[in-house]
Amino acid sequence: MSGSLSGSLVSAGLVPAGPVSFLDGVRMIDHHCHSVVAGPLDRAGFEALLTEGAAPAPGTSAFDSALGFSVRRWCAPALDLPAHADPDDYLARRAELGPEEVTRRFLGGAGVGAVFVDHGFAAGDLLAPSALGAAAGAAVGEVVRLEAVAEAVADAGVDAAGYGDAVRDAVAARTDPGAVPTPVATKSVLAYRAGLDVDPTRPEAAEVKKAADGWLRRRAETGEPLRDPVLLRHGLWTGLDTGLPLQMHTGFGDRDEDLHRANPALLVGLARLVEPLGVPLMLLHCYPYHREAAWLAQVFTGVHVDVGLAVPYVGPRAATVIGELLELAPFGKVLYSSDAFGLPELHLLGALRFRSALGGLLEHLCATDELAPADAERVATMIGTDNARRVYGRMPA
């Protein structure tokens, strides 16, 4: 395997020197991410994207976190700054280079061959997926967010009787193989909108009509997001009907969710219903419930997992989180994702932390004779790219 990619990242100070050899040259597939802010950011705007929380408490900074210190250590060299650069110096250099150059450096440094982009949230403030892919030098696939499609249908004008079919038609159009970017999956944010502990069964048409009648009126009057459990279930099953992999947010996220209701273990009922369909169920992020997610991947054929969002946030503890996931999750069921949003730094940090953490774990397994080097090489490639190619099937050019 060529070491040119890893070697260049190490020499540029973008990847820690050390146990990354098993991912040398692997242009990973980021199977779930978002785009980045198109314009400049002041300090408050930058720090707001450096946390899943609200604004930092008075007298504190989001830079004073595992993620903040990771940015200063591993992202500063990409801006021609010394490691551990002062936050003010970092932001000044960022402003000097400008958004386009900053994005190019961080996205290009991530070393990914494809990005699967959920562009269904805050899209107006972010680069178009095509521009994101160009900056990364990567192919682009679209992850179609089901709730965003349903809200667009509602806003376009539909009555309660026609709502169910209209959403189904819209999802079918958005997932057509000829669409651009190539649709590779659907996604639900059920965890945010109602919690994962809802009835997992497909709702009847009469239920959908009744629920739509109330929500469409509230949407027109107040702009209420889609939170009705019946309509969320309808969207979920509409996504499953496409046959594309269904991504589901689980675990760590912002304060719009109740974390205990985002535990992937709550999806066991849905997993039982989906299993006979042969549709892959992709559990995103999972932390701090990654061991529960690993169990689901162990016992259900169609369940696959990642720990995407957590990896850059936990900083040097990434190897611990990934190691805990791999205690039970079959290696053929684990994928890479960054879940980067807003800051191009998160695309770089997600990739380099994952490369270093997984590479280090595999090096240790080889050193203790738990794994042969040839198998470690194969596992690294499986997790970095091959599992995504197999599961998604429909790959963007």
Side-chain angles (χ1 to χ4, degrees), residues 3 66 74 90 131 164 218 238 249 260 264 281 303 305 337 371 394:
W74 299 112
Y90 182 89
R218 296 192 301 274
T238 299
H249 174 95
H260 69 286
L281 192 59
V303 172
V305 295
S337 82
L371 205 60
R394 184 190 289 179

Side-chain angles (χ1 to χ4, degrees), residues 31 42 46 59 131 168 182 187 245 332 346 397:
H31 90 114
D42 61 13
F46 187 91
R168 187 174 304 281
T182 302
K187 178 193 174 184
L346 298 180

